Amino acid sequence: MKLYLLQEIFTFGERFTVYDEHEAERYYVEGEVFSFGKKLHIYNAHEEEIALVHQELFSFPPTYAVKRGDLEIAAIVKEPSFFHQAYTVEGPGWQVEGDFSNHEYTIQKDGRLIATVSREWFSLGDSYEIDVKESADEVIALATALVIDAILSD
């Protein structure tokens, strides 16, 4: 399943729309403007909140929790390193590696490909293609791309 994450540029706060490969709106994401730490709400096409991504304040290394309702389903952690960037997605046990400066990376579990993320360079606002393999949780993959975009933007 390919997802296309497009940032809306003329909005107050952060807002993304996520389309599937058939150009149908699948999700949209809204950031809270006045909050301590970054908070992103992920909604399905029926405007039902399906996940909340929020930055854990005062955590080292930088950590973002992904929740469905009251249940934490994943934590995205930037691994501390001076030489290269890497992320771990606790919960599903994913590792994220690649060329983060060019926004090109893969999500893997035990050497098996879960998803690839690549930035579309010639667009207004941030735009990404997320190619999620069938057995993966696409909401966690989407949350991972959103968190990495937020960390790289800061």
Side-chain angles (χ1 to χ4, degrees):
M1 163 72 62
K2 287 189 179 181
L3 299 175
Y4 299 92
L5 174 65
L6 304 171
Q7 181 180 28
E8 296 179 19
I9 57 172
F10 298 112
T11 61
F12 187 65
E14 290 183 293
R15 183 170 167 89
F16 297 87
T17 304
V18 182
Y19 298 93
D20 65 15
E21 53 212 0
H22 305 292
E23 298 181 9
E25 185 176 309
R26 189 160 180 97
Y27 305 107
Y28 69 94
V29 180
E30 284 189 359
E32 288 187 18
V33 178
F34 302 109
S35 67
F36 292 106
K38 188 167 288 285
K39 289 185 181 176
L40 300 169
H41 298 268
I42 302 174
Y43 299 94
N44 65 15
H46 304 290
E47 299 182 6
E48 302 163 328
E49 184 176 85
I50 57 170
L52 169 67
V53 180
H54 69 90
Q55 182 179 12
E56 299 285 335
L57 295 176
F58 311 113
S59 64
F60 183 80
T63 302
Y64 289 74
V66 182
K67 290 186 170 186
R68 281 193 178 126
D70 293 331
L71 180 66
E72 185 172 310
I73 58 171
I76 303 159
V77 181
K78 182 180 180 198
E79 297 300 323
S81 173
F82 292 110
F83 304 109
H84 72 281
Q85 291 187 37
Y87 297 82
T88 300
V89 184
E90 298 172 355
W94 298 349
Q95 297 81 38
V96 186
E97 297 178 344
D99 183 357
F100 295 102
S101 62
N102 285 319
H103 301 270
E104 301 280 337
Y105 50 92
T106 61
I107 303 171
Q108 299 181 25
K109 180 176 182 173
D110 301 325
R112 195 184 79 219
L113 184 63
I114 301 296
T116 59
V117 179
S118 59
R119 182 174 183 181
E120 302 292 321
W121 287 100
F122 300 105
S123 66
L124 294 174
D126 290 336
S127 177
Y128 296 93
E129 178 184 276
I130 307 167
D131 189 359
V132 183
K133 301 307 170 195
E134 308 244 344
S135 63
D137 185 326
E138 67 185 36
V139 172
I140 297 175
L142 172 61
T144 302
L146 288 165
V147 166
I148 293 171
D149 177 68
I151 290 173
L152 293 175
S153 295
D154 286 344

